[in-house]
Amino acid sequence: MTTRRAKISGAGFYVPERVVTNQELEALMDTTDEWIQQRSGIKERRYVSPGETPADLGQHACERALQSAGLDPQDVDMILLATLSAQHEFPGTSFFVQRRLGLEDTPCMDLRAQCTGFLYALTTANSLVRAGQYDRVLVVGCEVHSTGIDLTTEGRDVAVLFGDGAGAVVVEANEDDSDPGEIIECRLHAQGEHAKRLWIEFPSSAHQPTRIDQEAVLAKKHFPRMEGRFVFKHAVTRMPEVLQQTLSSASLKMEDVDLFLFHQANLRINEYVAGQLGIPPEKCFSNIERYGNCSAGSIPILLAEASERGLVGPGSLVCMTGFGSGFSWGSAVVRL
Ligand code: ACO
């Protein structure tokens, strides 16, 4: 008897139309195009326009993923949305996306694992489908960072890195022995010890008597804060570690992989990781220069764009690896 497998049957992405170049940021804060490009590889990113919401981005990404899988929203059994920039405190952004997709009672939930959020959601969807709970799960990574960053010199270390965007995949049961499509292996890790090294402190339900007050806002504690070098050091250690662990559990070798997709936090991190593992540049695909860091959206955007460009297709072996706030990190190897 063959075990029930799950595969990625479609991918789609959406980024807002508004392009924000490094030169535009130079007008808002003390930074330079040269500094941003040299440290991160980013040339421009996308920001939402007034009135555009996370659910808008999520909806478009989902519609494109469904289209590429040849499915309608009604075919979906569940929506799993990873984000660190929820549209509201509650309910989750997934509920707004569900409504936008015209669905009435399809279960949905948000998952919070920051830049590793998509890999956490993909792992969860894989388990739900393999277990037979659902046949088709829509997995979305969706972020609007531009409304939550400090676009002044004080916030420049973080602000220049982030962009808005969403990516989605359909995770579907595969019971056809002749179809090699499979989410082969997923590995996840976390280290709460470093939770405050990259975080947004407010609003906080641990703060009394109210979750946010003027003092917190004046101290800009509602903006993300990051110990950049500390995060960098951990990212370049944990990413190669988990990638090798994942391939080895799947009895696969580095050479078997057709394309490596790394979370798009910093091109230098990814170049360092690829260098450590001896991965040739032509086996990595990046879009950070155009979109910046879209956190949970980055990996599915990358996968969807790579498919659109014909860099991967049915039968390709793809390895996705990410690291982010939490700290959280993980890797997944899939046969498309
Ligand atoms: N423009 C110009 N100068 C800047 C800027 C900027 N935007 N930001 C910081 N600087 C200055 C600093 O003030 C500092 O000046 P000083 O030497 O006079 O004090 C100098 O540049 C160097 O700053 P560092 O922070 O040490 O720069 P570094 O080389 O470490 O690069 C960066 C910073 C790009 C943020 C890097 O540390 C990094 O990429 N870290 C990891 C990010 C990451 O992986 N995040 C995880 C995913 S995100 C998530 O999960 C939400």
Side-chain angles (χ1 to χ4, degrees):
M1 195 183 79
T2 43
T3 48
R4 184 177 151 105
R5 295 169 295 150
K7 67 170 184 176
I8 293 180
S9 60
F13 78 102
Y14 182 81
V15 289
E17 281 180 15
R18 186 173 154 217
V19 175
V20 177
T21 61
N22 291 345
Q23 285 78 9
E24 280 176 71
L25 297 183
E26 284 177 3
L28 300 173
M29 61 187 81
D30 181 12
T31 191
T32 61
D33 174 43
E34 192 194 356
W35 191 97
I36 302 171
Q37 284 206 46
Q38 224 170 51
R39 304 292 174 120
S40 70
I42 300 167
K43 295 181 180 163
E44 59 187 42
R45 71 287 292 141
R46 304 296 181 96
Y47 283 1
V48 288
S49 297
E52 208 171 15
T53 66
D56 289 324
L57 310 190
Q59 175 196 351
H60 296 315
C62 287
E63 285 169 349
R64 291 176 182 187
L66 287 166
Q67 193 183 17
S68 95
L71 298 171
D72 292 320
Q74 284 68 25
D75 297 322
V76 169
D77 299 318
M78 186 184 193
I79 302 170
L80 207 48
L81 185 146
T83 190
L84 67 76
S85 53
Q87 186 156 321
H88 299 283
E89 284 287 301
F90 73 86
T93 305
S94 55
F95 292 79
F96 296 90
V97 171
Q98 185 233 41
R99 177 84 183 118
R100 292 297 183 83
L101 292 173
L103 298 171
E104 280 176 17
D105 63 356
T106 306
C108 48
M109 70 175 172
D110 281 26
L111 192 150
R112 300 175 58 169
Q114 302 66 250
C115 290
T116 322
F118 174 76
L119 294 173
Y120 269 74
L122 184 74
T123 305
T124 308
N126 181 38
S127 303
L128 288 168
V129 170
R130 274 182 187 261
Q133 177 81 27
Y134 297 121
D135 288 331
R136 293 181 188 118
V137 179
L138 197 48
V139 179
V140 199
C142 175
E143 307 286 2
V144 170
H145 286 309
S146 59
T147 53
I149 45 179
D150 179 6
L151 288 164
T152 72
T153 299
E154 261 181 279
R156 65 182 179 175
D157 59 325
V158 175
V160 300
L161 303 174
F162 289 98
D164 302 340
V169 301
V170 179
V171 172
E172 194 167 355
N174 181 8
E175 288 171 303
D176 176 359
D177 287 343
S178 65
D179 179 350
E182 180 177 8
I183 297 170
I184 300 169
E185 187 73 40
C186 303
R187 287 280 164 150
L188 303 174
H189 295 280
Q191 194 173 14
E193 179 191 349
H194 300 311
K196 297 183 179 179
R197 305 275 188 171
L198 172 51
W199 70 324
I200 297 181
E201 191 177 352
F202 283 86
S204 161
S205 46
H207 187 260
Q208 291 165 358
T210 53
R211 289 175 182 181
I212 191 154
D213 53 24
Q214 207 181 9
E215 198 184 325
V217 175
L218 288 175
K220 296 192 168 189
K221 289 184 173 176
H222 58 305
F223 288 131
R225 273 177 291 152
M226 170 170 78
E227 292 177 37
R229 294 223 162 162
F230 190 85
V231 176
F232 193 104
K233 233 173 55 195
H234 281 254
V236 297
T237 311
R238 294 308 198 178
M239 285 169 71
E241 204 175 85
V242 70
L243 190 158
Q244 285 176 305
Q245 200 177 69
T246 309
L247 288 181
S248 148
S249 321
S251 303
L252 288 164
K253 296 192 292 293
M254 301 289 288
E255 309 83 84
D256 298 328
V257 177
D258 295 305
L259 195 67
F260 291 89
L261 301 176
F262 294 111
H263 170 55
Q264 302 288 288
N266 185 331
L267 189 61
R268 307 297 160 235
I269 292 178
N270 297 346
E271 285 172 346
Y272 191 90
V273 171
Q276 296 246 72
L277 296 172
I279 300 170
E282 62 274 16
K283 280 207 173 184
C284 299
F285 175 52
S286 287
N287 55 20
I288 191 168
E289 68 281 5
R290 288 173 288 121
Y291 304 141
N293 181 352
C294 299
S295 296
S298 281
I299 291 178
I301 292 173
L302 206 54
L303 177 62
E305 204 173 44
S307 314
E308 265 184 29
R309 292 182 176 206
L311 300 176
V312 288
S316 300
L317 192 69
V318 179
C319 183
M320 303 174 268
T321 307
F323 180 91
S325 155
F327 289 160
S328 58
W329 63 101
S331 190
V333 61
V334 306
R335 175 81 63 192
L336 294 180

